[in-house]
Amino acid sequence: MAWKFTKAFSLLLLISIFTISISRTTIASDPDILSDFIAPTNQTSVDANYLTYTAMRGIFKKSIDACTTTKATKAEFPALDGQGVSLAVLQFPPGSVNPPHYHSRATGLFLLLEGVLEVDFVDTKDVLYTQRLKAGDIFLFPKGLQHYQYNYDHKKAAVGVAALSSASPGTVSLPSSIFNSGISDFVLARSFKTNESTIKKIKAASKKKTP
Ligand SMILES: *[C@@H]1O[C@H](CO)[C@@H](O)[C@H](O)[C@H]1NC(C)=O
Ligand SMILES: *[C@@H]1O[C@H](CO)[C@@H](O)[C@H](O)[C@H]1NC(C)=O
């Protein structure tokens, strides 16, 4: 009896260790690929055009009225598949905010190209790290931690580029994830220690673009 129990227990332990080691390797980084790059299956040969992304042409000339993020991830630029990297260009009109969000699968390395910008992230102990960047400064957003940016200059625009350590960074916007995902008013009212009419107001407002 005891022997049977020990055997079952060992098996369970072994399965747990195996599962943990698998999930560890899954969350560590994008999986390695066994070719130089991943070509589309419907094409026999690809050239440099496949490795070129041109959809960002002209984005600096467009006029914008809210913080705008333009992404080049695997979804927009399939050649990135398996390369463990992607890019986002962030444009901030004067006084605008990029609301709290996190990248489930990517570390962010942010370079401010133009203007000034407050950058902030919150660690797993709820400690806020805040910095005011000048053009040319680089700031690190650790993987999976929620962060936001604020153009505290209310007269000039700011522009930055974020390099992300995954082809599919898994960006989660907190306002949208919490208030636009269908979580019930009751649960949210309980969670935020308020009433359901307040939650309804926030839900309605969170569907609008953040200025
Ligand atoms: C291959 O498939 C992609 C995605 O469906 C499509 O956009 C592209 O035009 C296709 N290319 C060829 C050569 O069929
Ligand atoms: C909900 O809470 C708000 C803010 O505390 C308050 O002004 C409002 O009267 C409350 N509404 C209801 C229906 O209790």
Side-chain angles (χ1 to χ4, degrees):
M1 190 69 181
W3 184 83
K4 258 192 184 166
F5 178 76
T6 316
K7 201 177 166 192
F9 183 73
S10 314
L11 193 69
L12 203 68
L13 196 70
L14 208 68
I15 290 170
S16 327
I17 291 169
F18 187 64
T19 315
I20 289 167
S21 59
I22 284 182
S23 55
R24 280 264 168 102
T25 49
T26 314
I27 58 167
S29 62
D30 289 7
D32 279 338
I33 53 172
L34 303 175
S35 55
D36 298 344
F37 55 86
I38 297 175
T41 47
N42 60 351
Q43 265 165 272
T44 46
S45 72
V46 295
D47 58 16
N49 287 327
Y50 177 64
L51 307 171
T52 311
Y53 187 65
T54 58
M56 286 202 191
R57 282 183 193 171
I59 60 164
F60 298 110
K61 288 181 194 140
K62 276 184 199 151
S63 82
I64 48 164
D65 57 0
C67 172
T68 304
T69 304
T70 312
K71 298 175 192 173
T73 70
K74 184 187 148 186
E76 299 83 21
F77 185 15
L80 294 183
D81 194 5
Q83 302 293 342
V85 70
S86 60
L87 208 69
V89 173
L90 290 97
Q91 295 168 279
F92 300 87
S96 64
V97 164
N98 186 18
H101 63 280
Y102 61 87
H103 309 289
S104 323
R105 292 180 284 274
T107 302
L109 199 53
F110 182 88
L111 165 64
L112 186 67
L113 296 172
E114 203 182 296
V116 293
L117 197 69
E118 182 188 307
V119 289
D120 305 79
F121 74 83
V122 180
D123 73 7
T124 54
K125 296 182 180 73
D126 293 348
V127 176
L128 179 73
Y129 294 71
T130 184
Q131 186 59 276
R132 289 193 158 190
L133 303 182
K134 292 190 170 126
D137 293 349
I138 292 175
F139 191 75
L140 175 75
F141 292 110
K143 185 176 186 172
L145 296 185
Q146 60 149 316
H147 56 275
Y148 56 92
Q149 296 105 354
Y150 162 49
N151 180 3
Y152 62 91
D153 189 328
H154 287 225
K155 293 199 177 85
K156 275 191 198 147
V159 178
V161 174
L164 299 162
S165 66
S166 170
S168 185
T171 303
V172 174
S173 166
L174 293 180
S176 169
S177 170
I178 296 169
F179 295 105
N180 293 339
S181 59
I183 302 177
S184 77
D185 296 351
F186 173 82
V187 167
L188 289 176
R190 283 294 173 96
S191 307
F192 288 93
K193 299 183 173 61
T194 184
N195 56 37
E196 294 183 36
S197 59
T198 303
I199 294 297
K200 279 194 172 71
K201 259 189 217 166
I202 300 174
K203 277 189 175 178
S206 73
K207 290 199 173 72
K208 293 177 202 150
K209 257 198 157 187
T210 312

